[in-house]
Structure formats: C-alpha cells, structure tokens
Amino acid sequence: QQQKKENSEAQEITTMMLKNIPVGLSHDEVKESLLSLGVSFDVLHVPADVRSGCNRGYTFLNCPSPGAYEGAATKLQNSRLPGACNSKKVLEVCRAKVQGRAALKHVA
C-alpha cells in the first residue's frame, strides 16, 4: 500500500525549477528557447531583478502532465538553452516545491 501511495505522488509531479538560465535572456527568449526544444508547458515564470531587468538565473515551468514533465526533464537536464550563444551554463532540472498549474499561475 505504501508503494501505491508513492507511485500516486510521483504521478502528480508537473512543475519544475530550471536552474542555470543565462541571465541575459528575457522571458520571451527563455520561452522561445524552450519551445524550440519541443518542451511542452502551460505556465512559465521567469523571475527578474527589478533594477536590472535581467532574469535571476532560474525559471519555473509547469508541464500539462507528468509524462510531459518527464520528457521535458530528459531534454533539459545537462543541456544548454539555444539562443544563449556565449553561455556555457548547463541546465539543471529540480522538482519544484510547489506543484501544479494553479499554484504556479498565482506567482507567474
């Protein structure tokens, strides 16, 4: 029964934190880069510094399903974002503490 509960919880993971986003990219550039990689998401939040306008080096995105999350995580982990020509930053995928479209939509 414990394994069944763990499997059920694992199936609910749809929101990730993507670390090591090149800070020179705007929200729209991050969005276009992710779409060009075939990543499917329904909410994207790219926190930015108010003074500089640059992103903070990470983003949150919610995928429409756990399967889409797994596919996105596989594509993004240890890769580089297209459009960030001079960046050598390697992306790191982490499960977000807050899960779900509604929760992320609240902050995005």
Side-chain angles (χ1 to χ4, degrees):
Q1 198 167 6
Q2 179 68 21
Q3 185 179 2
K4 195 174 195 178
K5 182 179 178 184
E6 288 172 8
N7 287 344
S8 173
E9 289 174 0
Q11 292 172 353
E12 299 301 316
I13 298 169
T14 58
T15 309
M16 70 175 65
M17 178 182 190
L18 188 57
K19 297 180 180 181
N20 299 326
I21 301 291
V23 294
L25 297 179
S26 69
H27 179 280
D28 289 342
E29 290 169 326
V30 172
K31 180 179 178 179
E32 290 305 314
S33 293
L34 292 170
L35 290 172
S36 75
L37 291 171
V39 174
S40 176
F41 55 92
D42 51 18
V43 180
L44 176 66
H45 177 54
V46 184
D49 182 272
V50 177
R51 280 190 264 164
S52 70
C54 293
N55 77 63
R56 294 181 180 247
Y58 61 92
T59 188
F60 294 95
L61 61 116
N62 186 72
C63 300
S65 69
Y69 174 95
E70 289 299 322
T74 299
K75 287 177 188 173
L76 296 171
Q77 182 67 26
N78 296 320
S79 68
R80 291 189 173 94
L81 274 185
C85 301
N86 297 326
S87 178
K88 295 185 187 227
K89 287 187 170 186
V90 176
L91 300 174
E92 180 183 345
V93 175
C94 302
R95 185 174 82 184
K97 290 180 184 177
V98 176
Q99 289 293 312
R101 182 175 191 255
L104 189 56
K105 189 96 170 152
H106 179 70
V107 296

XYZ file of all heavy atoms in Angstrom:
814
model
N 0.826 -1.191 0.000
C 0.000 0.000 0.000
C 0.874 1.261 0.000
O 0.530 2.248 -0.626
C -0.925 -0.021 1.199
C -2.084 0.926 1.042
C -3.151 0.666 2.090
O -2.971 -0.139 2.997
N -4.251 1.334 1.955
N 1.998 1.223 0.706
C 2.928 2.358 0.737
C 3.465 2.646 -0.665
O 3.554 3.789 -1.071
C 4.086 2.059 1.703
C 5.118 3.167 1.786
C 4.581 4.431 2.431
O 3.599 4.404 3.161
N 5.208 5.555 2.138
N 3.794 1.583 -1.423
C 4.307 1.768 -2.777
C 3.252 2.410 -3.673
O 3.559 3.264 -4.493
C 4.764 0.432 -3.359
C 5.416 0.588 -4.721
C 5.895 -0.735 -5.273
O 5.706 -1.779 -4.665
N 6.518 -0.701 -6.423
N 2.001 2.015 -3.506
C 0.910 2.588 -4.291
C 0.804 4.094 -4.030
O 0.624 4.884 -4.944
C -0.398 1.884 -3.935
C -1.512 2.119 -4.902
C -2.711 1.261 -4.515
C -3.680 1.198 -5.665
N -4.824 0.353 -5.361
N 0.941 4.494 -2.765
C 0.886 5.912 -2.398
C 2.051 6.671 -3.035
O 1.887 7.752 -3.564
C 0.906 6.064 -0.871
C 0.792 7.501 -0.420
C 0.800 7.606 1.083
C 0.723 9.073 1.497
N 0.810 9.238 2.927
N 3.254 6.110 -2.970
C 4.430 6.749 -3.568
C 4.263 6.910 -5.074
O 4.600 7.938 -5.630
C 5.691 5.945 -3.244
C 6.103 6.063 -1.798
C 7.228 5.125 -1.431
O 7.791 4.480 -2.347
O 7.555 5.030 -0.243
N 3.749 5.880 -5.748
C 3.521 5.965 -7.193
C 2.514 7.050 -7.522
O 2.662 7.788 -8.485
C 3.054 4.620 -7.747
C 4.168 3.603 -7.799
O 5.332 3.952 -7.707
N 3.806 2.342 -7.916
N 1.467 7.159 -6.719
C 0.437 8.178 -6.935
C 1.032 9.578 -6.795
O 0.750 10.467 -7.575
C -0.697 7.978 -5.939
O -1.615 9.041 -6.034
N 1.877 9.772 -5.768
C 2.514 11.073 -5.570
C 3.462 11.396 -6.714
O 3.518 12.522 -7.172
C 3.262 11.088 -4.238
C 2.346 11.111 -3.042
C 3.093 10.970 -1.737
O 4.334 10.860 -1.761
O 2.427 10.955 -0.690
N 4.196 10.409 -7.193
C 5.143 10.631 -8.286
C 4.424 11.045 -9.558
O 4.933 11.840 -10.337
C 5.978 9.377 -8.528
N 3.221 10.541 -9.768
C 2.467 10.861 -10.972
C 1.960 12.299 -10.970
O 1.569 12.811 -11.997
C 1.299 9.891 -11.130
C 1.759 8.484 -11.443
C 0.613 7.490 -11.416
O -0.494 7.803 -11.041
N 0.913 6.265 -11.812
N 1.986 12.959 -9.833
C 1.479 14.319 -9.727
C 2.552 15.372 -10.006
O 2.264 16.554 -9.962
C 0.878 14.548 -8.337
C -0.288 13.641 -8.024
C -1.434 13.781 -9.017
O -1.786 14.912 -9.379
O -1.961 12.739 -9.442
N 3.764 14.997 -10.264
C 4.842 15.960 -10.477
C 4.743 16.542 -11.883
O 4.897 15.835 -12.871
C 6.220 15.301 -10.253
C 6.333 14.816 -8.823
C 7.337 16.289 -10.582
C 7.528 13.942 -8.575
N 4.455 17.845 -11.943
C 4.346 18.531 -13.230
C 5.112 19.846 -13.265
O 5.251 20.446 -14.323
C 2.867 18.830 -13.575
O 2.299 19.633 -12.540
C 2.064 17.552 -13.748
N 5.603 20.317 -12.124
C 6.244 21.630 -12.051
C 7.726 21.483 -11.718
O 8.074 20.788 -10.771
C 5.551 22.512 -10.996
O 4.151 22.518 -11.241
C 6.079 23.934 -11.051
N 8.555 22.144 -12.504
C 9.998 22.079 -12.279
C 10.598 23.461 -12.097
O 10.056 24.463 -12.552
C 10.703 21.374 -13.436
C 10.741 22.150 -14.730
S 11.712 21.342 -16.052
C 10.764 19.859 -16.349
N 11.723 23.461 -11.405
C 12.587 24.627 -11.344
C 13.758 24.302 -12.256
O 14.366 23.240 -12.138
C 13.074 24.864 -9.919
C 14.012 26.028 -9.788
S 14.566 26.181 -8.075
C 15.379 27.741 -8.148
N 14.017 25.194 -13.178
C 15.116 25.006 -14.121
C 16.208 26.000 -13.758
O 15.994 27.214 -13.817
C 14.607 25.227 -15.542
C 15.537 24.906 -16.697
C 16.004 23.454 -16.641
C 14.841 25.188 -18.020
N 17.352 25.487 -13.331
C 18.465 26.330 -12.866
C 19.472 26.565 -13.984
O 19.536 25.809 -14.949
C 19.176 25.666 -11.691
C 18.308 25.476 -10.475
C 19.117 24.815 -9.381
C 18.304 24.588 -8.130
N 19.127 23.958 -7.082
N 20.271 27.604 -13.813
C 21.372 27.974 -14.710
C 20.901 28.561 -16.036
O 21.540 28.381 -17.072
C 22.328 26.805 -14.953
C 22.971 26.332 -13.672
O 23.237 27.129 -12.778
N 23.210 25.061 -13.556
N 19.790 29.307 -15.994
C 19.334 30.045 -17.170
C 20.287 31.219 -17.371
O 20.563 31.958 -16.416
C 17.901 30.590 -16.942
C 16.914 29.452 -16.658
C 17.441 31.463 -18.097
C 16.636 28.563 -17.811
N 20.827 31.439 -18.559
C 21.693 32.600 -18.782
C 20.935 33.899 -18.458
O 19.826 34.116 -18.955
C 22.036 32.514 -20.272
C 21.895 31.055 -20.593
C 20.742 30.584 -19.745
N 21.518 34.745 -17.613
C 20.807 35.924 -17.110
C 20.514 36.961 -18.182
O 19.659 37.807 -17.989
C 21.544 36.581 -15.921
C 21.540 35.659 -14.718
C 22.936 37.001 -16.301
N 21.162 36.911 -19.307
C 20.912 37.879 -20.365
C 19.637 37.634 -21.151
O 19.230 38.470 -21.949
N 18.984 36.494 -20.930
C 17.787 36.160 -21.701
C 16.533 36.752 -21.060
O 16.345 36.683 -19.854
C 17.611 34.641 -21.804
C 18.703 33.867 -22.544
C 18.385 32.377 -22.539
C 18.866 34.377 -23.956
N 15.663 37.298 -21.889
C 14.382 37.823 -21.429
C 13.390 36.665 -21.259
O 13.654 35.531 -21.689
C 13.824 38.813 -22.447
O 13.444 38.118 -23.633
N 12.248 36.976 -20.685
C 11.177 35.989 -20.537
C 10.827 35.391 -21.901
O 10.734 34.169 -22.055
C 9.941 36.659 -19.917
C 8.783 35.736 -19.743
N 7.929 35.395 -20.780
C 8.331 35.067 -18.662
C 7.016 34.562 -20.338
N 7.222 34.354 -19.048
N 10.645 36.261 -22.903
C 10.276 35.773 -24.238
C 11.367 34.912 -24.860
O 11.073 33.920 -25.535
C 9.938 36.942 -25.167
C 8.615 37.602 -24.797
O 7.804 36.981 -24.072
O 8.393 38.745 -25.229
N 12.630 35.254 -24.635
C 13.731 34.457 -25.184
C 13.807 33.088 -24.511
O 14.055 32.076 -25.177
C 15.051 35.209 -25.034
C 15.146 36.420 -25.943
C 16.313 37.332 -25.627
O 16.680 37.464 -24.432
O 16.859 37.911 -26.583
N 13.580 33.046 -23.206
C 13.551 31.759 -22.498
C 12.406 30.911 -23.047
O 12.579 29.735 -23.358
C 13.410 31.964 -20.971
C 13.178 30.623 -20.260
C 14.640 32.659 -20.404
N 11.245 31.540 -23.194
C 10.070 30.831 -23.723
C 10.349 30.261 -25.110
O 10.084 29.087 -25.377
C 8.878 31.788 -23.778
C 7.615 31.164 -24.302
C 6.477 32.181 -24.309
C 5.217 31.587 -24.879
N 4.112 32.566 -24.873
N 10.894 31.082 -26.005
C 11.193 30.621 -27.367
C 12.237 29.509 -27.374
O 12.137 28.562 -28.157
C 11.646 31.796 -28.239
C 10.532 32.772 -28.563
C 9.315 32.115 -29.204
O 9.473 31.294 -30.127
O 8.191 32.420 -28.752
N 13.243 29.610 -26.507
C 14.264 28.560 -26.425
C 13.666 27.234 -25.996
O 13.972 26.185 -26.567
C 15.366 28.974 -25.444
O 16.092 30.064 -25.932
N 12.791 27.278 -24.983
C 12.148 26.048 -24.511
C 11.246 25.451 -25.580
O 11.257 24.242 -25.810
C 11.354 26.336 -23.236
C 12.190 26.685 -22.003
C 11.299 27.190 -20.877
C 13.022 25.501 -21.561
N 10.486 26.312 -26.253
C 9.603 25.819 -27.324
C 10.404 25.212 -28.473
O 9.999 24.210 -29.059
C 8.701 26.951 -27.827
C 7.619 27.423 -26.845
C 6.918 28.669 -27.375
C 6.628 26.313 -26.554
N 11.554 25.812 -28.791
C 12.377 25.278 -29.885
C 12.932 23.890 -29.564
O 13.248 23.125 -30.468
C 13.518 26.241 -30.228
O 14.539 26.182 -29.257
N 13.039 23.587 -28.277
C 13.486 22.254 -27.863
C 12.336 21.252 -27.806
O 12.537 20.080 -27.496
C 14.159 22.334 -26.488
C 15.505 23.056 -26.450
C 15.951 23.253 -25.010
C 16.554 22.284 -27.235
N 11.120 21.724 -28.055
C 9.961 20.840 -28.014
C 9.425 20.600 -26.622
O 8.704 19.634 -26.388
N 9.759 21.492 -25.688
C 9.271 21.361 -24.315
C 7.830 21.862 -24.261
O 7.518 22.947 -24.740
C 10.167 22.151 -23.335
C 9.584 22.135 -21.934
C 11.582 21.596 -23.349
N 6.958 21.059 -23.671
C 5.544 21.405 -23.550
C 5.282 21.932 -22.138
O 5.580 21.262 -21.155
C 4.704 20.156 -23.816
O 3.344 20.439 -23.627
N 4.730 23.150 -22.051
C 4.403 23.731 -20.741
C 3.186 24.624 -20.880
O 2.886 25.126 -21.961
C 5.595 24.502 -20.165
C 6.151 25.563 -21.062
C 5.690 26.870 -20.988
C 7.141 25.260 -21.986
C 6.203 27.853 -21.823
C 7.660 26.240 -22.820
C 7.191 27.544 -22.742
N 2.473 24.811 -19.763
C 1.290 25.667 -19.786
C 1.455 26.923 -18.933
O 0.666 27.858 -19.054
C 0.021 24.899 -19.415
C 0.138 24.116 -18.129
O 1.050 24.389 -17.322
O -0.684 23.217 -17.918
N 2.463 26.954 -18.074
C 2.785 28.154 -17.303
C 4.299 28.270 -17.241
O 5.000 27.285 -16.998
C 2.223 28.095 -15.861
C 2.580 29.364 -15.089
C 0.721 27.891 -15.855
N 4.797 29.481 -17.469
C 6.229 29.764 -17.376
C 6.409 31.004 -16.514
O 5.780 32.034 -16.765
C 6.819 30.008 -18.771
C 8.295 30.406 -18.825
C 9.184 29.257 -18.348
C 8.680 30.821 -20.236
N 7.256 30.901 -15.503
C 7.555 32.041 -14.634
C 9.066 32.238 -14.636
O 9.814 31.349 -14.232
C 7.038 31.791 -13.219
C 7.375 32.872 -12.251
N 7.080 34.196 -12.463
C 7.987 32.820 -11.043
C 7.493 34.923 -11.442
N 8.047 34.109 -10.570
N 9.504 33.401 -15.117
C 10.927 33.734 -15.170
C 11.151 34.929 -14.246
O 10.940 36.075 -14.647
C 11.380 34.075 -16.610
C 12.877 34.323 -16.658
C 10.994 32.964 -17.583
N 11.528 34.687 -12.989
C 11.745 35.804 -12.074
C 12.856 36.728 -12.584
O 13.870 36.263 -13.091
C 12.176 35.129 -10.766
C 11.680 33.725 -10.883
C 11.741 33.397 -12.349
N 12.617 38.029 -12.456
C 13.593 39.011 -12.936
C 13.952 39.981 -11.818
O 13.138 40.273 -10.935
C 13.034 39.775 -14.128
N 15.163 40.489 -11.870
C 15.614 41.522 -10.954
C 14.941 42.840 -11.352
O 14.991 43.228 -12.523
C 17.137 41.651 -11.034
C 17.665 42.670 -10.067
O 17.727 43.857 -10.457
O 18.011 42.295 -8.934
N 14.334 43.510 -10.407
C 13.587 44.733 -10.699
C 14.507 45.835 -11.236
O 14.156 46.533 -12.189
C 12.842 45.227 -9.431
C 12.126 46.526 -9.700
C 11.870 44.173 -8.956
N 15.683 45.957 -10.662
C 16.589 47.036 -11.092
C 17.225 46.785 -12.451
O 17.251 47.656 -13.294
C 17.670 47.264 -10.045
C 17.170 48.111 -8.884
C 18.289 48.518 -8.001
N 18.339 47.562 -6.897
C 19.355 47.404 -6.093
N 20.437 48.109 -6.261
N 19.303 46.533 -5.116
N 17.750 45.587 -12.649
C 18.477 45.316 -13.894
C 17.570 44.828 -15.017
O 17.905 44.947 -16.185
C 19.571 44.274 -13.650
O 18.996 43.005 -13.418
N 16.445 44.229 -14.650
C 15.558 43.657 -15.652
C 16.007 42.285 -16.119
O 15.309 41.631 -16.895
N 17.162 41.829 -15.670
C 17.680 40.510 -16.059
C 16.993 39.418 -15.252
O 16.590 39.633 -14.109
C 19.181 40.430 -15.796
S 20.156 41.510 -16.841
N 16.884 38.238 -15.856
C 16.330 37.122 -15.093
C 17.313 36.734 -13.998
O 18.473 37.114 -14.029
C 15.960 35.953 -16.016
C 17.152 35.153 -16.464
O 17.849 34.540 -15.669
N 17.407 35.145 -17.769
N 16.844 35.988 -13.035
C 17.658 35.634 -11.864
C 18.418 34.315 -12.027
O 18.974 33.802 -11.066
C 16.778 35.584 -10.625
C 16.224 36.960 -10.282
C 15.373 36.899 -9.039
N 14.863 38.215 -8.727
C 15.217 38.901 -7.647
N 16.058 38.398 -6.788
N 14.694 40.089 -7.440
N 18.417 33.762 -13.225
C 19.195 32.552 -13.471
C 18.426 31.262 -13.264
O 18.994 30.181 -13.327
N 17.136 31.380 -13.006
C 16.304 30.192 -12.867
C 14.898 30.526 -13.353
O 14.535 31.688 -13.510
C 16.264 29.680 -11.420
C 15.706 30.667 -10.432
C 14.356 30.675 -10.109
C 16.526 31.603 -9.804
C 13.828 31.581 -9.205
C 16.023 32.511 -8.899
C 14.669 32.498 -8.593
O 14.156 33.396 -7.707
N 14.128 29.492 -13.608
C 12.749 29.661 -14.041
C 11.917 28.505 -13.511
O 12.456 27.459 -13.152
C 12.660 29.738 -15.588
O 11.354 30.072 -15.981
C 13.071 28.444 -16.244
N 10.625 28.717 -13.446
C 9.691 27.658 -13.085
C 8.793 27.405 -14.278
O 8.356 28.346 -14.937
C 8.816 28.085 -11.896
C 9.593 28.266 -10.624
C 10.051 29.522 -10.256
C 9.865 27.191 -9.798
C 10.774 29.702 -9.089
C 10.585 27.362 -8.629
C 11.043 28.619 -8.269
N 8.538 26.148 -14.547
C 7.571 25.842 -15.593
C 6.737 24.650 -15.191
O 7.211 23.752 -14.507
C 8.236 25.627 -16.952
C 9.229 24.508 -17.136
C 8.679 23.520 -18.147
C 10.519 25.075 -17.654
N 5.479 24.727 -15.573
C 4.555 23.639 -15.302
C 4.220 22.945 -16.612
O 3.846 23.599 -17.590
C 3.266 24.145 -14.646
C 2.391 22.990 -14.233
O 2.707 22.295 -13.283
N 1.306 22.764 -14.951
N 4.350 21.636 -16.607
C 4.015 20.832 -17.778
C 2.579 20.351 -17.649
O 2.075 20.175 -16.550
C 4.974 19.651 -17.876
S 6.698 20.164 -18.044
N 1.907 20.129 -18.785
C 0.495 19.758 -18.731
C 0.213 18.370 -18.150
O -0.921 18.081 -17.784
C 0.030 19.852 -20.179
C 1.254 19.865 -21.006
C 2.375 20.349 -20.150
N 1.233 17.527 -18.038
C 1.030 16.183 -17.491
C 2.347 15.672 -16.915
O 3.422 16.184 -17.258
C 0.559 15.225 -18.592
O 1.613 15.007 -19.521
N 2.275 14.655 -16.048
C 3.511 14.061 -15.538
C 4.408 13.512 -16.660
O 5.628 13.611 -16.590
C 3.018 12.947 -14.614
C 1.677 13.427 -14.161
C 1.096 14.104 -15.375
N 3.793 12.977 -17.718
C 4.579 12.476 -18.847
C 5.315 13.590 -19.571
O 6.465 13.429 -19.974
N 4.644 14.728 -19.726
C 5.280 15.886 -20.350
C 6.422 16.396 -19.467
O 7.461 16.826 -19.962
C 4.257 16.988 -20.592
N 6.238 16.331 -18.147
C 7.296 16.715 -17.211
C 8.526 15.832 -17.417
O 9.644 16.329 -17.521
C 6.800 16.605 -15.762
C 7.879 16.856 -14.736
C 8.049 18.112 -14.181
C 8.735 15.840 -14.324
C 9.046 18.357 -13.244
C 9.728 16.064 -13.395
C 9.884 17.320 -12.858
O 10.889 17.556 -11.935
N 8.301 14.527 -17.461
C 9.426 13.589 -17.637
C 10.154 13.848 -18.951
O 11.384 13.844 -19.006
C 8.942 12.138 -17.561
C 8.536 11.710 -16.174
C 9.678 11.792 -15.171
O 10.835 11.490 -15.514
O 9.404 12.173 -14.020
N 9.390 14.082 -20.022
C 10.004 14.372 -21.318
C 10.813 15.658 -21.286
O 11.926 15.720 -21.805
N 10.263 16.685 -20.660
C 10.966 17.966 -20.557
C 12.226 17.814 -19.710
O 13.295 18.323 -20.068
C 10.045 19.027 -19.957
N 12.109 17.109 -18.601
C 13.262 16.913 -17.718
C 14.388 16.191 -18.448
O 15.562 16.558 -18.332
C 12.844 16.148 -16.466
N 14.036 15.190 -19.242
C 15.033 14.438 -20.009
C 15.715 15.338 -21.042
O 16.935 15.293 -21.201
C 14.370 13.232 -20.700
O 13.812 12.382 -19.699
C 15.363 12.457 -21.528
N 14.943 16.167 -21.726
C 15.504 17.066 -22.745
C 16.388 18.150 -22.133
O 17.391 18.550 -22.722
C 14.388 17.752 -23.532
C 13.662 16.870 -24.482
C 12.537 17.622 -25.162
C 11.681 16.665 -25.968
N 10.494 17.304 -26.511
N 15.993 18.650 -20.968
C 16.661 19.828 -20.409
C 17.840 19.516 -19.497
O 18.801 20.297 -19.459
C 15.638 20.676 -19.650
C 14.520 21.271 -20.512
C 13.444 21.893 -19.633
C 15.083 22.285 -21.492
N 17.782 18.422 -18.753
C 18.846 18.118 -17.794
C 20.196 18.014 -18.504
O 20.340 17.303 -19.491
C 18.535 16.808 -17.058
C 19.549 16.426 -16.005
C 19.590 17.371 -14.817
O 18.617 18.038 -14.484
N 20.731 17.438 -14.178
N 21.163 18.777 -18.021
C 22.541 18.791 -18.545
C 22.647 19.270 -19.989
O 23.594 18.918 -20.696
C 23.188 17.405 -18.407
C 23.332 16.996 -16.964
O 23.675 17.804 -16.107
N 23.039 15.749 -16.676
N 21.685 20.064 -20.436
C 21.758 20.627 -21.789
C 21.992 22.132 -21.687
O 22.129 22.674 -20.594
C 20.471 20.321 -22.567
O 19.386 21.032 -22.002
N 22.023 22.792 -22.828
C 22.162 24.251 -22.872
C 20.981 24.812 -23.641
O 20.465 24.190 -24.562
C 23.467 24.630 -23.560
C 24.684 24.260 -22.738
C 25.954 24.850 -23.356
N 27.083 24.646 -22.482
C 27.933 23.626 -22.565
N 27.778 22.724 -23.503
N 28.932 23.516 -21.730
N 20.571 26.028 -23.258
C 19.466 26.662 -23.965
C 19.934 27.223 -25.289
O 20.926 27.954 -25.341
C 18.878 27.813 -23.134
C 17.826 27.484 -22.110
C 17.292 28.765 -21.482
C 16.685 26.694 -22.690
N 19.233 26.925 -26.376
C 19.550 27.564 -27.642
C 19.227 29.057 -27.529
O 18.352 29.450 -26.773
C 18.628 26.880 -28.657
C 17.613 26.159 -27.873
C 18.120 25.998 -26.490
N 19.949 29.878 -28.223
C 19.727 31.318 -28.151
C 20.656 31.989 -27.164
O 20.774 33.204 -27.136
N 21.335 31.204 -26.353
C 22.303 31.745 -25.397
C 23.702 31.436 -25.931
O 24.421 30.612 -25.400
C 22.088 31.127 -24.026
N 24.039 32.092 -27.019
C 25.233 31.770 -27.804
C 26.522 31.660 -27.000
O 27.285 30.735 -27.171
C 25.423 32.807 -28.904
S 24.020 32.917 -30.015
N 26.774 32.625 -26.137
C 28.058 32.654 -25.439
C 28.028 31.983 -24.072
O 29.037 31.965 -23.389
C 28.526 34.103 -25.283
C 28.773 34.748 -26.628
O 29.203 34.094 -27.570
N 28.474 36.032 -26.731
N 26.893 31.459 -23.688
C 26.779 30.882 -22.349
C 27.238 29.429 -22.341
O 26.893 28.647 -23.217
C 25.335 30.960 -21.862
O 25.240 30.353 -20.598
N 27.995 29.102 -21.317
C 28.428 27.719 -21.127
C 27.649 27.067 -19.989
O 27.975 25.971 -19.565
C 29.916 27.684 -20.845
C 30.718 28.167 -22.030
C 32.196 28.011 -21.801
C 32.897 28.651 -22.903
N 33.792 28.432 -23.667
N 26.615 27.760 -19.511
C 25.829 27.236 -18.397
C 25.090 25.967 -18.820
O 24.455 25.923 -19.864
C 24.822 28.273 -17.912
C 25.451 29.412 -17.161
C 24.380 30.301 -16.572
C 24.992 31.288 -15.618
N 23.950 32.062 -14.931
N 25.163 24.974 -17.950
C 24.486 23.704 -18.174
C 23.246 23.686 -17.288
O 23.315 23.960 -16.086
C 25.424 22.521 -17.837
C 24.696 21.200 -17.974
C 26.646 22.556 -18.750
N 22.112 23.373 -17.888
C 20.840 23.403 -17.167
C 20.733 22.280 -16.147
O 21.244 21.178 -16.361
C 19.679 23.299 -18.153
C 19.595 24.402 -19.202
C 18.483 24.102 -20.198
C 19.390 25.761 -18.554
N 20.050 22.587 -15.057
C 19.781 21.598 -14.018
C 18.284 21.621 -13.719
O 17.727 22.674 -13.432
C 20.570 21.931 -12.758
C 20.358 20.961 -11.638
C 21.092 21.352 -10.368
O 21.986 22.213 -10.408
O 20.742 20.794 -9.319
N 17.658 20.478 -13.792
C 16.227 20.344 -13.521
C 16.034 19.878 -12.086
O 16.665 18.915 -11.646
C 15.571 19.324 -14.479
C 14.116 19.088 -14.112
C 15.702 19.777 -15.920
N 15.161 20.575 -11.362
C 14.794 20.184 -10.000
C 13.286 20.184 -9.881
O 12.617 21.044 -10.460
C 15.341 21.185 -8.982
S 17.103 21.394 -9.016
N 12.757 19.270 -9.128
C 11.325 19.265 -8.858
C 11.002 20.482 -8.003
O 11.657 20.731 -6.990
C 10.940 17.981 -8.132
C 9.449 17.853 -7.919
C 9.096 16.532 -7.330
N 9.316 16.602 -5.890
C 9.168 15.593 -5.075
N 8.864 14.407 -5.535
N 9.356 15.742 -3.791
N 10.015 21.254 -8.413
C 9.626 22.443 -7.651
C 8.925 22.032 -6.361
O 8.227 21.021 -6.314
C 8.704 23.320 -8.490
N 9.118 22.841 -5.315
C 8.455 22.557 -4.044
C 6.944 22.712 -4.173
O 6.187 21.981 -3.569
C 8.981 23.490 -2.956
C 10.398 23.191 -2.556
C 10.875 24.133 -1.479
C 12.332 23.869 -1.154
N 12.852 24.807 -0.175
N 6.514 23.700 -4.955
C 5.092 23.938 -5.188
C 4.739 23.302 -6.521
O 5.382 23.572 -7.534
C 4.780 25.452 -5.217
C 3.338 25.699 -5.553
C 5.149 26.090 -3.893
N 3.720 22.443 -6.525
C 3.349 21.704 -7.720
C 1.987 22.159 -8.257
O 1.080 22.475 -7.491
C 3.290 20.207 -7.433
C 4.642 19.564 -7.205
C 5.475 19.558 -8.467
O 5.020 19.177 -9.536
N 6.719 19.976 -8.336
N 1.869 22.162 -9.565
C 0.572 22.389 -10.206
C 0.438 23.731 -10.874
O 1.035 24.721 -10.482
N -0.350 23.723 -11.918
C -0.580 24.917 -12.730
C -1.189 26.056 -11.914
O -0.761 27.191 -11.987
C -1.498 24.554 -13.898
C -1.783 25.687 -14.832
C -2.592 25.183 -16.022
N -2.630 26.213 -17.035
C -3.687 26.958 -17.283
N -4.802 26.776 -16.595
N -3.640 27.874 -18.205
N -2.193 25.748 -11.103
C -2.887 26.789 -10.342
C -1.942 27.458 -9.350
O -1.952 28.691 -9.228
C -4.084 26.191 -9.592
N -1.116 26.680 -8.686
C -0.169 27.249 -7.710
C 0.866 28.125 -8.404
O 1.203 29.203 -7.928
C 0.506 26.135 -6.922
N 1.364 27.679 -9.549
C 2.380 28.447 -10.260
C 1.772 29.660 -10.933
O 2.378 30.722 -10.994
C 3.079 27.558 -11.296
C 4.307 28.152 -11.969
C 5.347 28.569 -10.944
C 4.907 27.154 -12.928
N 0.561 29.527 -11.426
C -0.119 30.646 -12.077
C -0.285 31.810 -11.107
O -0.265 32.970 -11.492
C -1.489 30.169 -12.583
C -2.199 31.135 -13.455
C -1.948 30.797 -14.886
C -2.865 31.613 -15.758
N -2.319 31.853 -17.043
N -0.394 31.490 -9.825
C -0.552 32.503 -8.788
C 0.661 33.439 -8.707
O 0.519 34.620 -8.450
C -0.816 31.837 -7.441
C -0.978 32.783 -6.309
N -2.077 33.597 -6.181
C -0.171 33.070 -5.270
C -1.938 34.346 -5.105
N -0.798 34.029 -4.525
N 1.860 32.902 -8.948
C 3.079 33.717 -8.865
C 3.548 34.229 -10.217
O 4.331 35.160 -10.305
C 4.242 32.960 -8.173
C 3.890 32.651 -6.747
C 4.630 31.728 -8.946
N 3.091 33.607 -11.290
C 3.575 33.977 -12.625
C 2.896 35.243 -13.134
O 1.840 35.623 -12.762
C 3.346 32.831 -13.594
